[in-house]
Amino acid sequence: MELRLATTDDMEILIDLRKRLLVEEGQTVSSNIDEELRNFFEKQLNSGQFVQWIIEEDKNVLATGGIQFISFPPSYSNSTGIRGYILNMYTTPESRGRGLAKQLVERIFKEAQGRNVHHIFLISSPMGKPLYKKIGFNENDIYMEYFIN
C-alpha cells in the first residue's frame, strides 16, 4: 500500500473520486462538471495552498483526502490566522473499514504541523463524523474542528 501526493498527472483520478463523493453525499448528477473540477485541481494543486494525497494498492486507488490552507484574520489563539480545511476525504466502498481515512488525517495533520498550522476544520458527512470524533475533532453547529498542539 502506498500513500503519495497527488499531482496534476492524477487529474482523472481526482475528478472521478470527487464525483463519487458528491453522489454518495446525495447530490444528483445534473450536469457535467469535469472541466470545472479540472480547473479547480490544476489551480489549487499548483498554488501551494492545497495538498491532496492518494492511497493506492496494486495500482488501484483506495482513498484520497486533502487540505486547503486558508487565511483568516489573526486572533489571540491563532496569530498567523492560517487554518487548514480538510476536504475531499473519500474511501472507495470496498476499501472502507481498513483505517485509510485515519491514515490520511494523520498525514494531513503532519502537513499542517510542518506549516505551523494548528487549527484544522472540516464539514463532515454523517458517515465520517464517528471517525473524526474518535480522532478528537469537536463538533459545533456548522463544522468540526481540531487543534493540533
Side-chain angles (χ1 to χ4, degrees):
M1 187 163 19
E2 177 189 12
L3 188 150
R4 65 173 179 83
L5 280 174
T7 69
T8 54
D9 292 338
D10 297 305
M11 193 66 66
E12 298 311 311
I13 293 169
L14 297 175
I15 290 169
D16 177 58
L17 294 174
R18 175 67 182 173
K19 291 188 325 187
R20 286 196 217 177
L21 169 67
L22 295 173
V23 168
E24 283 193 32
E25 288 181 344
Q27 292 192 29
T28 302
V29 178
S30 58
S31 63
N32 184 338
I33 59 170
D34 289 15
E35 194 59 34
E36 290 82 359
L37 287 169
R38 189 171 283 104
N39 291 338
F40 171 84
F41 286 118
E42 185 171 341
K43 179 180 177 186
Q44 295 305 315
L45 287 170
N46 290 322
S47 75
Q49 299 305 305
F50 174 71
V51 185
Q52 182 95 15
W53 290 270
I54 293 172
I55 296 178
E56 292 178 315
E57 186 174 66
D58 300 325
K59 298 190 181 193
N60 293 313
V61 175
L62 309 179
T64 190
I67 184 168
Q68 179 83 45
F69 294 98
I70 303 170
S71 294
F72 289 85
S75 65
Y76 294 114
S77 63
N78 185 0
S79 62
T80 67
I82 308 271
R83 296 180 191 174
Y85 176 61
I86 295 177
L87 69 158
N88 268 1
M89 292 292 295
Y90 181 75
T91 302
T92 60
E94 60 276 7
S95 302
R96 292 178 185 156
R98 295 176 55 184
L100 301 177
K102 184 178 180 205
Q103 261 187 277
L104 286 163
V105 170
E106 288 169 354
R107 183 61 192 91
I108 287 168
F109 284 174
K110 187 175 177 182
E111 180 74 24
Q113 286 177 306
R115 294 178 184 229
N116 200 30
V117 174
H118 301 282
H119 185 193
I120 308 294
F121 69 108
L122 57 83
I123 297 172
S124 178
S125 68
M127 184 179 7
K129 283 185 182 185
L131 166 72
Y132 299 121
K133 285 180 180 179
K134 187 175 181 181
I135 290 171
F137 278 81
N138 294 311
E139 186 174 7
N140 65 34
D141 291 340
I142 302 168
Y143 55 85
M144 298 181 80
E145 63 185 344
Y146 186 92
F147 291 92
I148 300 172
N149 295 325

